[in-house]
């Protein structure tokens, strides 16, 4: 590869991305476990952003960027992403997903649905390559903030920081509500020491239903995924709203367009939509009331739930679906 054709700030991140593609794919072949990328997902975007934050201090930095110094906006984005990383790492750890023997159940189901050779193509092309490229481009907002020059932080940065912290708080709450419910579902005991926002008095009907429908999950079928997408759109808008001009010295500046800046968040949304559709195709046959939940509550956004409620009220279906989603469960089922 001719590294001289790559903008200087991208050289090491691209090499690091290629390294991650190689080792996660090889490790999946050696272990038979394809969840290698899942275990580094929790911190890799922050690693890329950290590189761009310190890039002006490196000996091999673009001279013009080196002269302008560290970007306050990029550092602020790094701090927010470190908070994001801590939340996700904590949730991944308590679910036991750092166990080297653990594998995402969706990969196992996919493995059973397709021929072995087709799964290996999927393993390389999507799990190893596509996901690692996505983690790489999640660092692009920080890069864009860097190349736009050393503007001081402004009102847009304050607003976006508040929105990012609020989004992370909601995401943490949705994680904790799911964790609290799953513990009650499998152990039958409510933990009085749950995090604030997750101290819900689950009932036997909640347990028998098999999936969580209360708390934030009453307004979104996947509030954690909604918050995750929102957080990365917020990251995208830091350089877009904060920049007063585009730098002329950067080789990347000419290619920096609004669409380019939105690429990471749009790509992440595409991944979440496709993976959520697949996940729900597993949940729907398993839980009799899940179809009613899909009809009553939006996949991600609460405004979708509002319009569903309005439509169901007009068609006279709302009360029936409400009973199925939040009312008593008819009969007892073993989960």
């Amino acid at each position: 590869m001719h590294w001289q054709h790559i903008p200087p700030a991208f050289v090491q991140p691209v090499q690091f991305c290629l390294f991650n593609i190689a080792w996660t794919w090889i490790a999946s072949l050696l272990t038979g476990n394809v969840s290698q990328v899942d275990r580094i997902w929790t911190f890799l975007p922050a690693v890329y952003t950290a590189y761009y934050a310190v890039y002006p201090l490196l000996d091999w930095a673009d001279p013009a960027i080196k002269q302008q110094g560290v970007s306050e906006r990029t550092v602020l984005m790094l701090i927010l992403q470190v908070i994001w990383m801590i939340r996700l790492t904590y949730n991944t750890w308590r679910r036991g997903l750092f166990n080297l023997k653990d594998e995402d159940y969706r990969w196992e189901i996919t493995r059973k649905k397709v021929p072995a050779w087709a799964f290996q193509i999927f393993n390389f092309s999507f799990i190893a390559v596509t996901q690692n490229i996505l983690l790489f481009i999640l660092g692009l907002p920080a890069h864009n903030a860097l190349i736009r020059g050393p503007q001081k932080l402004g009102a847009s940065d304050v607003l976006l920081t508040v929105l990012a912290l609020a989004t992370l708080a909601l995401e943490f709450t949705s994680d904790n509500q799911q964790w609290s419910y799953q513990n009650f579902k499998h152990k039958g005991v409510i933990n009085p020491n749950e995090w604030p926002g997750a101290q819900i008095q689950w009932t036997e009907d909640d347990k028998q239903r098999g999936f969580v429908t209360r708390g934030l999950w009453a307004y979104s079928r996947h509030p954690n995924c909604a918050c995750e997408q929102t957080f990365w759109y917020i990251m995208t808008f830091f350089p877009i709203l904060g920049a007063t001009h585009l730098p002329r010295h950067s080789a990347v500046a000419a290619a920096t367009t609004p669409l380019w800046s939105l690429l990471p968040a749009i790509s992440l949304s595409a991944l979440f939509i496709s993976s959520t559709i697949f996940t729900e195709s597993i949940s729907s046959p398993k839980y009799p009331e899940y179809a009613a939940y899909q009809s009553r509550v939006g996949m991600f956004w609460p405004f979708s739930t509002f319009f569903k409620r309005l439509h169901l009220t007009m068609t006279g279906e709302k009360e029936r679906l409400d009973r199925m989603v939040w009312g008593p469960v008819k009969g007892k089922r073993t989960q």
Side-chain angles (χ1 to χ4, degrees), residues 71-263:
S71 165
E72 294 180 2
R73 185 165 293 111
T74 306
V75 172
L76 174 59
M77 294 169 68
L78 174 60
I79 293 172
L80 292 171
Q81 289 184 34
V82 168
I83 298 174
W84 167 88
M85 178 188 71
I86 293 171
R87 178 208 63 79
L88 183 56
T89 302
Y90 169 69
N91 195 50
T92 302
W93 166 78
R94 68 178 173 181
R95 291 170 59 197
L97 298 182
F98 285 128
N99 184 334
L100 296 181
K101 296 182 180 180
D102 184 85
E103 184 179 60
D104 190 319
Y105 72 95
R106 291 171 296 186
W107 301 144
E108 180 60 28
I109 292 174
T110 303
R111 187 185 281 110
K112 293 177 180 179
K113 288 179 176 290
V114 299
W117 61 267
F119 182 78
Q120 287 307 320
I121 293 176
F122 174 76
N123 176 31
F124 176 75
S125 61
F126 176 76
I127 299 177
V129 176
T130 303
Q131 289 194 124
N132 267 300
I133 291 176
L134 178 56
L135 292 171
F136 162 72
I137 66 175
L138 287 178
L140 291 184
H143 168 269
N144 294 342
L146 173 67
I147 67 170
R148 278 167 166 75
Q151 295 99 343
K152 295 294 182 180
L153 298 178
S156 65
D157 298 291
V158 175
L159 174 61
L160 291 172
T161 297
V162 171
L163 290 176
L165 292 174
T167 299
L168 290 174
L170 287 172
E171 189 169 11
F172 187 55
T173 299
S174 67
D175 288 341
N176 293 333
Q177 289 175 349
Q178 178 70 272
W179 176 255
S180 173
Y181 172 77
Q182 292 297 331
N183 279 337
F184 176 76
K185 175 182 172 180
H186 294 288
K187 300 178 182 178
V189 178
I190 296 177
N191 182 359
N193 298 316
E194 293 287 0
W195 288 89
Q199 298 171 349
I200 298 174
Q201 295 301 306
W202 308 107
T203 67
E204 187 64 23
D205 286 314
D206 292 321
K207 179 180 178 180
Q208 291 297 320
R209 188 172 292 107
F211 56 95
V212 58
T213 63
R214 298 172 61 188
L216 295 175
W217 302 78
Y219 304 95
S220 166
R221 302 201 302 272
H222 305 276
N224 50 347
C225 297
C227 290
E228 185 75 1
Q229 295 173 74
T230 301
F231 177 80
W232 289 105
Y233 275 105
I234 291 172
M235 290 295 104
T236 294
F237 280 104
F238 267 99
I240 292 176
L241 299 182
T244 56
H245 68 281
L246 288 177
R248 296 180 180 178
H249 62 258
S250 173
V252 184
T256 302
T257 66
L259 181 59
W260 170 261
S261 299
L262 289 169
L263 176 63

Side-chain angles (χ1 to χ4, degrees), residues 11-33:
V11 173
Q12 276 69 33
V14 168
Q15 292 174 339
F16 187 52
C17 180
L18 293 174
F19 168 75
N20 286 321
I21 289 173
W23 83 257
T24 53
W25 179 57
I26 293 172
S28 73
L29 296 178
L30 294 177
T31 64
N33 186 322

